């Protein structure tokens, strides 16, 4: 019988996933994804390879599960931050500040290099996570246009442009927020 970590099977699964995700982050800081093996993940997570394969069929499954977990945690925190904001301008400012302030906690560089190594199915699954975050911004912009607070000709293009702005790693939250608000404010 395999060893159970924690008091329940649910706790065991959560602990196991957290260990594997932490190992993935650590390994991605050391080397590219294509040089990481399931054996590396098991060793760094402190679990047996058989146990790892009981939870994930391969390292792509680990990355997709990690992205799902990170997106869920990110959206939970973002939605909590937005909960008491009433105007679209307040919501957009909070969205931008949250993104900038938490980027070091949630974004570990799962970018184009990694996507190029994944199967089409995994790329599609990863894209779903981006869409979930984009939907929050899209709704803020739609509400802002409806209220007259924002001028946006093309919401989809604006979402893409604003997210590109949010990926600027050396801009402060204040600078980024001013820039984004200026970009959507009526002239």
């Amino acid at each position: 019988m395999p060893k159970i970590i924690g008091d329940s099977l649910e706790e065991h699964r959560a602990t196991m996933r957290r260990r594997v995700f932490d190992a993935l982050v650590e390994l991605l800081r050391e080397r590219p994804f294509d040089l990481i093996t399931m054996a590396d993940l098991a060793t760094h997570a402190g679990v047996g390879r058989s146990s790892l394969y009981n939870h994930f069929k391969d390292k792509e499954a680990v990355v997709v599960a990690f992205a799902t977990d990170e997106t869920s945690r990110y959206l939970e925190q973002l939605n909590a931050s937005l909960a008491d904001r009433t105007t679209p301008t307040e919501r957009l400012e909070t969205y931008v500040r949250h993104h900038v302030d938490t980027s070091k906690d949630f974004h570990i560089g799962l970018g184009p290099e990694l996507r190029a190594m994944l199967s089409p199915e995994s790329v599609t699954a990863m894209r779903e996570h981006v869409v979930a975050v984009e939907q929050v911004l899209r709704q803020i912009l739609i509400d802002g246009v409806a209220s007259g607070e924002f001028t946006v000709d093309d919401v989809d293009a604006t979402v893409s442009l604003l997210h590109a702005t949010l990926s600027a790693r050396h801009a402060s939250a204040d600078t980024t927020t001013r820039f984004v608000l200026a970009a959507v404010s009526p002239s």
Side-chain angles (χ1 to χ4, degrees), residues 69-164:
D69 185 72
E70 287 292 281
T71 302
S72 295
R73 287 187 328 110
Y74 180 83
L75 285 171
E76 185 178 303
Q77 287 185 14
L78 175 61
N79 288 326
S81 296
L82 292 170
D84 64 344
R85 305 297 189 261
T86 55
T87 70
T89 300
E90 291 172 337
R91 292 175 59 80
L92 182 57
E93 181 176 354
T94 299
Y95 181 95
V96 171
R97 287 187 179 282
H98 179 80
H99 187 88
V100 172
D101 291 344
T102 63
S103 64
K104 62 186 164 294
D105 298 327
F106 287 100
H107 305 284
I108 62 160
L110 299 177
E113 299 83 17
L114 177 60
R115 282 193 305 271
M117 295 179 214
L118 298 176
S119 68
E121 296 81 18
S122 292
V123 170
T124 299
M126 298 288 282
R127 177 69 187 135
E128 290 172 13
H129 303 112
V130 174
V131 170
V133 175
E134 286 176 343
Q135 186 54 39
V136 176
L137 177 57
R138 182 173 284 105
Q139 191 59 55
I140 292 169
L141 294 174
I142 290 169
D143 293 346
V145 169
S147 71
E149 291 179 51
F150 303 154
T151 300
V152 174
D153 295 328
D154 182 337
V155 171
D156 290 332
T158 303
V159 166
S160 294
L161 290 168
L162 293 183
H163 271 199

Side-chain angles (χ1 to χ4, degrees), residues 16 41 46 49 70:
M16 178 73 157
L41 284 167
R49 280 189 300 183
E70 287 292 281

